[in-house]
Amino acid sequence: TQRIDSFRGDYRFLCNFHLCEIEFEGLTYPSVEHAYQAAKTLDLRVRQIFTFKEMTPAQAKHLGRTIKSRSNWEQIKENVMKECLRAKFSNPVLREFLNATGDIELIEGNDWGDVYWGVCNGRGLNRLGTLLMEVRSEK
């Protein structure tokens, strides 16, 4: 079976670090990563920090590790990610790119040890890839 096993190069647009404005719960963020990390808190002032265009996705990820997550975060984080992905792929150009992957399996292969959202060294749950495929199947 065909598969995309890395969100780099031609498939960089699948990565959460891909810069594309997305709206999530009333705020506009520079990327899915920014929105996802902001969603960890319900504090609007903290969320607004993640809307700054000067903040890179990597900086957003790092900052997201330092804020206190809401109590139900582990239960809702996949739904939050899916909503962020839906917002991202409501962009017609990005949607066309996603649709163009057809029914190829999407695997967020990585070398930084993420075995929840992706796959590292052949091991992982690939939840990001799975959610991307779910969003792709929604017409």
Side-chain angles (χ1 to χ4, degrees):
T1 54
Q2 274 193 306
R3 58 172 42 155
I4 293 167
D5 59 11
S6 168
F7 299 166
R8 296 188 178 111
D10 289 346
Y11 300 109
R12 171 87 179 150
F13 73 93
L14 294 168
C15 176
N16 286 345
F17 279 28
H18 178 79
L19 293 175
C20 59
E21 284 196 345
I22 75 153
E23 196 172 310
F24 180 75
E25 295 185 349
L27 293 174
T28 302
Y29 298 93
S31 76
V32 166
E33 192 65 34
H34 289 79
Y36 176 79
Q37 296 299 336
K40 288 181 175 178
T41 181
L42 295 173
D43 184 332
L44 188 58
R45 289 169 309 192
V46 176
R47 280 190 173 195
Q48 286 172 328
I49 295 168
F50 289 92
T51 67
F52 297 146
K53 287 179 171 57
E54 296 78 19
M55 182 185 293
T56 67
Q59 289 169 327
K61 183 175 185 175
H62 182 73
L63 180 61
R65 289 188 172 141
T66 68
I67 64 174
K68 183 171 170 26
S69 294
R70 54 211 236 185
S71 59
N72 64 341
W73 182 245
E74 287 303 311
Q75 290 76 46
I76 67 165
K77 67 183 184 182
E78 286 199 22
N79 288 333
V80 167
M81 181 66 78
K82 195 169 189 177
E83 287 307 309
C84 290
L85 294 173
R86 281 185 178 131
K88 174 181 180 174
F89 290 104
S90 68
N91 173 312
V93 174
L94 292 177
R95 184 72 206 194
E96 204 170 303
F97 288 162
L98 180 62
N99 289 346
T101 63
D103 56 5
I104 294 173
E105 185 179 8
L106 305 177
I107 300 170
E108 206 265 322
N110 67 80
D111 54 14
W112 52 87
D114 185 342
V115 293
Y116 184 83
W117 294 109
V119 174
C120 183
N121 297 323
R123 291 189 1 265
L125 299 175
N126 192 40
R127 294 304 301 147
L128 179 59
T130 301
L131 292 174
L132 281 163
M133 290 183 285
E134 288 174 13
V135 169
R136 180 180 65 193
S137 71
E138 298 169 359
K139 298 298 180 203

PDB file of all heavy atoms in Angstrom, residues 67-87:
ATOM      1  N   ILE A  67       2.685  25.980  30.262  1.00  0.00           N
ATOM      2  CA  ILE A  67       1.431  26.481  30.843  1.00  0.00           C
ATOM      3  C   ILE A  67       0.669  25.343  31.519  1.00  0.00           C
ATOM      4  O   ILE A  67       0.830  24.177  31.165  1.00  0.00           O
ATOM      5  CB  ILE A  67       0.542  27.184  29.787  1.00  0.00           C
ATOM      6  CG1 ILE A  67       0.090  26.213  28.697  1.00  0.00           C
ATOM      7  CG2 ILE A  67       1.264  28.386  29.183  1.00  0.00           C
ATOM      8  CD1 ILE A  67      -0.904  26.799  27.707  1.00  0.00           C
ATOM      9  N   LYS A  68      -0.123  25.736  32.482  1.00  0.00           N
ATOM     10  CA  LYS A  68      -0.928  24.737  33.195  1.00  0.00           C
ATOM     11  C   LYS A  68      -2.099  24.333  32.303  1.00  0.00           C
ATOM     12  O   LYS A  68      -2.906  25.165  31.910  1.00  0.00           O
ATOM     13  CB  LYS A  68      -1.428  25.329  34.515  1.00  0.00           C
ATOM     14  CG  LYS A  68      -2.211  24.343  35.358  1.00  0.00           C
ATOM     15  CD  LYS A  68      -2.480  24.921  36.731  1.00  0.00           C
ATOM     16  CE  LYS A  68      -3.455  24.132  37.570  1.00  0.00           C
ATOM     17  NZ  LYS A  68      -3.586  22.713  37.302  1.00  0.00           N
ATOM     18  N   SER A  69      -2.167  23.040  31.983  1.00  0.00           N
ATOM     19  CA  SER A  69      -3.254  22.540  31.134  1.00  0.00           C
ATOM     20  C   SER A  69      -4.546  22.426  31.931  1.00  0.00           C
ATOM     21  O   SER A  69      -4.523  22.130  33.127  1.00  0.00           O
ATOM     22  CB  SER A  69      -2.906  21.159  30.572  1.00  0.00           C
ATOM     23  OG  SER A  69      -1.826  21.252  29.690  1.00  0.00           O
ATOM     24  N   ARG A  70      -5.655  22.654  31.243  1.00  0.00           N
ATOM     25  CA  ARG A  70      -6.954  22.487  31.892  1.00  0.00           C
ATOM     26  C   ARG A  70      -7.124  21.032  32.327  1.00  0.00           C
ATOM     27  O   ARG A  70      -6.508  20.132  31.768  1.00  0.00           O
ATOM     28  CB  ARG A  70      -8.071  22.963  30.987  1.00  0.00           C
ATOM     29  CG  ARG A  70      -8.069  22.344  29.626  1.00  0.00           C
ATOM     30  CD  ARG A  70      -8.631  23.311  28.590  1.00  0.00           C
ATOM     31  NE  ARG A  70      -9.757  22.723  27.881  1.00  0.00           N
ATOM     32  CZ  ARG A  70     -10.362  23.301  26.866  1.00  0.00           C
ATOM     33  NH1 ARG A  70      -9.976  24.473  26.427  1.00  0.00           N
ATOM     34  NH2 ARG A  70     -11.363  22.724  26.273  1.00  0.00           N
ATOM     35  N   SER A  71      -7.972  20.826  33.320  1.00  0.00           N
ATOM     36  CA  SER A  71      -8.054  19.520  33.986  1.00  0.00           C
ATOM     37  C   SER A  71      -8.478  18.383  33.049  1.00  0.00           C
ATOM     38  O   SER A  71      -8.067  17.247  33.241  1.00  0.00           O
ATOM     39  CB  SER A  71      -9.010  19.594  35.178  1.00  0.00           C
ATOM     40  OG  SER A  71     -10.300  19.981  34.726  1.00  0.00           O
ATOM     41  N   ASN A  72      -9.269  18.687  32.036  1.00  0.00           N
ATOM     42  CA  ASN A  72      -9.756  17.624  31.145  1.00  0.00           C
ATOM     43  C   ASN A  72      -8.950  17.507  29.854  1.00  0.00           C
ATOM     44  O   ASN A  72      -9.405  16.895  28.890  1.00  0.00           O
ATOM     45  CB  ASN A  72     -11.237  17.866  30.817  1.00  0.00           C
ATOM     46  CG  ASN A  72     -11.452  19.166  30.040  1.00  0.00           C
ATOM     47  OD1 ASN A  72     -10.605  20.056  30.033  1.00  0.00           O
ATOM     48  ND2 ASN A  72     -12.594  19.266  29.390  1.00  0.00           N
ATOM     49  N   TRP A  73      -7.754  18.090  29.824  1.00  0.00           N
ATOM     50  CA  TRP A  73      -6.975  18.161  28.585  1.00  0.00           C
ATOM     51  C   TRP A  73      -6.756  16.794  27.943  1.00  0.00           C
ATOM     52  O   TRP A  73      -6.935  16.626  26.735  1.00  0.00           O
ATOM     53  CB  TRP A  73      -5.641  18.869  28.825  1.00  0.00           C
ATOM     54  CG  TRP A  73      -4.847  18.986  27.562  1.00  0.00           C
ATOM     55  CD1 TRP A  73      -3.650  18.403  27.287  1.00  0.00           C
ATOM     56  CD2 TRP A  73      -5.207  19.713  26.375  1.00  0.00           C
ATOM     57  NE1 TRP A  73      -3.242  18.729  26.005  1.00  0.00           N
ATOM     58  CE2 TRP A  73      -4.186  19.527  25.431  1.00  0.00           C
ATOM     59  CE3 TRP A  73      -6.310  20.492  26.018  1.00  0.00           C
ATOM     60  CZ2 TRP A  73      -4.215  20.091  24.153  1.00  0.00           C
ATOM     61  CZ3 TRP A  73      -6.345  21.061  24.755  1.00  0.00           C
ATOM     62  CH2 TRP A  73      -5.309  20.859  23.843  1.00  0.00           C
ATOM     63  N   GLU A  74      -6.358  15.813  28.731  1.00  0.00           N
ATOM     64  CA  GLU A  74      -6.079  14.484  28.154  1.00  0.00           C
ATOM     65  C   GLU A  74      -7.318  13.884  27.495  1.00  0.00           C
ATOM     66  O   GLU A  74      -7.212  13.165  26.511  1.00  0.00           O
ATOM     67  CB  GLU A  74      -5.523  13.528  29.220  1.00  0.00           C
ATOM     68  CG  GLU A  74      -4.089  13.830  29.618  1.00  0.00           C
ATOM     69  CD  GLU A  74      -3.108  13.826  28.445  1.00  0.00           C
ATOM     70  OE1 GLU A  74      -3.117  12.872  27.648  1.00  0.00           O
ATOM     71  OE2 GLU A  74      -2.320  14.793  28.326  1.00  0.00           O
ATOM     72  N   GLN A  75      -8.500  14.194  28.012  1.00  0.00           N
ATOM     73  CA  GLN A  75      -9.741  13.657  27.453  1.00  0.00           C
ATOM     74  C   GLN A  75     -10.159  14.382  26.167  1.00  0.00           C
ATOM     75  O   GLN A  75     -10.831  13.793  25.326  1.00  0.00           O
ATOM     76  CB  GLN A  75     -10.899  13.765  28.466  1.00  0.00           C
ATOM     77  CG  GLN A  75     -10.765  12.831  29.660  1.00  0.00           C
ATOM     78  CD  GLN A  75      -9.742  13.310  30.689  1.00  0.00           C
ATOM     79  OE1 GLN A  75      -9.708  14.472  31.064  1.00  0.00           O
ATOM     80  NE2 GLN A  75      -8.903  12.389  31.140  1.00  0.00           N
ATOM     81  N   ILE A  76      -9.784  15.659  26.025  1.00  0.00           N
ATOM     82  CA  ILE A  76     -10.286  16.452  24.887  1.00  0.00           C
ATOM     83  C   ILE A  76      -9.241  16.770  23.832  1.00  0.00           C
ATOM     84  O   ILE A  76      -9.578  17.293  22.774  1.00  0.00           O
ATOM     85  CB  ILE A  76     -10.929  17.769  25.374  1.00  0.00           C
ATOM     86  CG1 ILE A  76      -9.884  18.688  25.984  1.00  0.00           C
ATOM     87  CG2 ILE A  76     -12.078  17.483  26.339  1.00  0.00           C
ATOM     88  CD1 ILE A  76     -10.351  20.129  26.160  1.00  0.00           C
ATOM     89  N   LYS A  77      -7.959  16.454  24.089  1.00  0.00           N
ATOM     90  CA  LYS A  77      -6.903  16.935  23.188  1.00  0.00           C
ATOM     91  C   LYS A  77      -7.052  16.442  21.746  1.00  0.00           C
ATOM     92  O   LYS A  77      -6.755  17.182  20.813  1.00  0.00           O
ATOM     93  CB  LYS A  77      -5.515  16.614  23.740  1.00  0.00           C
ATOM     94  CG  LYS A  77      -5.165  15.132  23.800  1.00  0.00           C
ATOM     95  CD  LYS A  77      -3.787  14.955  24.427  1.00  0.00           C
ATOM     96  CE  LYS A  77      -3.375  13.504  24.416  1.00  0.00           C
ATOM     97  NZ  LYS A  77      -2.061  13.335  25.064  1.00  0.00           N
ATOM     98  N   GLU A  78      -7.547  15.230  21.546  1.00  0.00           N
ATOM     99  CA  GLU A  78      -7.714  14.745  20.175  1.00  0.00           C
ATOM    100  C   GLU A  78      -8.850  15.475  19.469  1.00  0.00           C
ATOM    101  O   GLU A  78      -8.745  15.776  18.274  1.00  0.00           O
ATOM    102  CB  GLU A  78      -7.930  13.235  20.140  1.00  0.00           C
ATOM    103  CG  GLU A  78      -6.652  12.488  20.420  1.00  0.00           C
ATOM    104  CD  GLU A  78      -6.694  11.041  19.959  1.00  0.00           C
ATOM    105  OE1 GLU A  78      -7.510  10.695  19.075  1.00  0.00           O
ATOM    106  OE2 GLU A  78      -5.895  10.255  20.477  1.00  0.00           O
ATOM    107  N   ASN A  79      -9.933  15.774  20.180  1.00  0.00           N
ATOM    108  CA  ASN A  79     -11.020  16.548  19.580  1.00  0.00           C
ATOM    109  C   ASN A  79     -10.554  17.960  19.232  1.00  0.00           C
ATOM    110  O   ASN A  79     -10.926  18.499  18.185  1.00  0.00           O
ATOM    111  CB  ASN A  79     -12.233  16.611  20.510  1.00  0.00           C
ATOM    112  CG  ASN A  79     -12.956  15.284  20.582  1.00  0.00           C
ATOM    113  OD1 ASN A  79     -12.909  14.487  19.646  1.00  0.00           O
ATOM    114  ND2 ASN A  79     -13.625  15.050  21.685  1.00  0.00           N
ATOM    115  N   VAL A  80      -9.748  18.549  20.114  1.00  0.00           N
ATOM    116  CA  VAL A  80      -9.191  19.874  19.848  1.00  0.00           C
ATOM    117  C   VAL A  80      -8.329  19.817  18.585  1.00  0.00           C
ATOM    118  O   VAL A  80      -8.459  20.666  17.696  1.00  0.00           O
ATOM    119  CB  VAL A  80      -8.369  20.388  21.050  1.00  0.00           C
ATOM    120  CG1 VAL A  80      -7.537  21.609  20.669  1.00  0.00           C
ATOM    121  CG2 VAL A  80      -9.285  20.701  22.225  1.00  0.00           C
ATOM    122  N   MET A  81      -7.474  18.809  18.488  1.00  0.00           N
ATOM    123  CA  MET A  81      -6.613  18.677  17.315  1.00  0.00           C
ATOM    124  C   MET A  81      -7.454  18.544  16.049  1.00  0.00           C
ATOM    125  O   MET A  81      -7.174  19.181  15.028  1.00  0.00           O
ATOM    126  CB  MET A  81      -5.685  17.465  17.472  1.00  0.00           C
ATOM    127  CG  MET A  81      -4.745  17.271  16.294  1.00  0.00           C
ATOM    128  SD  MET A  81      -3.528  18.589  16.097  1.00  0.00           S
ATOM    129  CE  MET A  81      -2.346  18.128  17.370  1.00  0.00           C
ATOM    130  N   LYS A  82      -8.498  17.739  16.107  1.00  0.00           N
ATOM    131  CA  LYS A  82      -9.341  17.536  14.928  1.00  0.00           C
ATOM    132  C   LYS A  82     -10.025  18.840  14.512  1.00  0.00           C
ATOM    133  O   LYS A  82     -10.115  19.138  13.323  1.00  0.00           O
ATOM    134  CB  LYS A  82     -10.374  16.433  15.184  1.00  0.00           C
ATOM    135  CG  LYS A  82     -11.042  15.925  13.926  1.00  0.00           C
ATOM    136  CD  LYS A  82     -11.837  14.664  14.208  1.00  0.00           C
ATOM    137  CE  LYS A  82     -12.321  14.010  12.943  1.00  0.00           C
ATOM    138  NZ  LYS A  82     -13.017  12.749  13.234  1.00  0.00           N
ATOM    139  N   GLU A  83     -10.499  19.607  15.486  1.00  0.00           N
ATOM    140  CA  GLU A  83     -11.114  20.902  15.180  1.00  0.00           C
ATOM    141  C   GLU A  83     -10.103  21.855  14.545  1.00  0.00           C
ATOM    142  O   GLU A  83     -10.431  22.593  13.615  1.00  0.00           O
ATOM    143  CB  GLU A  83     -11.735  21.529  16.424  1.00  0.00           C
ATOM    144  CG  GLU A  83     -13.014  20.855  16.867  1.00  0.00           C
ATOM    145  CD  GLU A  83     -14.039  20.738  15.744  1.00  0.00           C
ATOM    146  OE1 GLU A  83     -14.339  21.750  15.085  1.00  0.00           O
ATOM    147  OE2 GLU A  83     -14.527  19.617  15.502  1.00  0.00           O
ATOM    148  N   CYS A  84      -8.887  21.842  15.056  1.00  0.00           N
ATOM    149  CA  CYS A  84      -7.824  22.681  14.479  1.00  0.00           C
ATOM    150  C   CYS A  84      -7.523  22.246  13.043  1.00  0.00           C
ATOM    151  O   CYS A  84      -7.340  23.091  12.154  1.00  0.00           O
ATOM    152  CB  CYS A  84      -6.566  22.611  15.334  1.00  0.00           C
ATOM    153  SG  CYS A  84      -6.698  23.421  16.948  1.00  0.00           S
ATOM    154  N   LEU A  85      -7.478  20.941  12.808  1.00  0.00           N
ATOM    155  CA  LEU A  85      -7.223  20.430  11.460  1.00  0.00           C
ATOM    156  C   LEU A  85      -8.373  20.776  10.516  1.00  0.00           C
ATOM    157  O   LEU A  85      -8.148  21.140   9.353  1.00  0.00           O
ATOM    158  CB  LEU A  85      -6.990  18.918  11.491  1.00  0.00           C
ATOM    159  CG  LEU A  85      -5.721  18.464  12.214  1.00  0.00           C
ATOM    160  CD1 LEU A  85      -5.689  16.946  12.329  1.00  0.00           C
ATOM    161  CD2 LEU A  85      -4.466  18.981  11.513  1.00  0.00           C
ATOM    162  N   ARG A  86      -9.598  20.680  11.005  1.00  0.00           N
ATOM    163  CA  ARG A  86     -10.754  21.073  10.179  1.00  0.00           C
ATOM    164  C   ARG A  86     -10.645  22.541   9.785  1.00  0.00           C
ATOM    165  O   ARG A  86     -10.940  22.909   8.651  1.00  0.00           O
ATOM    166  CB  ARG A  86     -12.061  20.841  10.940  1.00  0.00           C
ATOM    167  CG  ARG A  86     -12.508  19.409  10.947  1.00  0.00           C
ATOM    168  CD  ARG A  86     -13.871  19.291  11.629  1.00  0.00           C
ATOM    169  NE  ARG A  86     -14.339  17.921  11.592  1.00  0.00           N
ATOM    170  CZ  ARG A  86     -14.801  17.264  12.643  1.00  0.00           C
ATOM    171  NH1 ARG A  86     -14.871  17.850  13.822  1.00  0.00           N
ATOM    172  NH2 ARG A  86     -15.213  16.013  12.521  1.00  0.00           N
ATOM    173  N   ALA A  87     -10.253  23.382  10.741  1.00  0.00           N
ATOM    174  CA  ALA A  87     -10.097  24.815  10.465  1.00  0.00           C
ATOM    175  C   ALA A  87      -9.001  25.036   9.417  1.00  0.00           C
ATOM    176  O   ALA A  87      -9.178  25.801   8.468  1.00  0.00           O
ATOM    177  CB  ALA A  87      -9.777  25.570  11.751  1.00  0.00           C
TER     178      ALA A  87
END
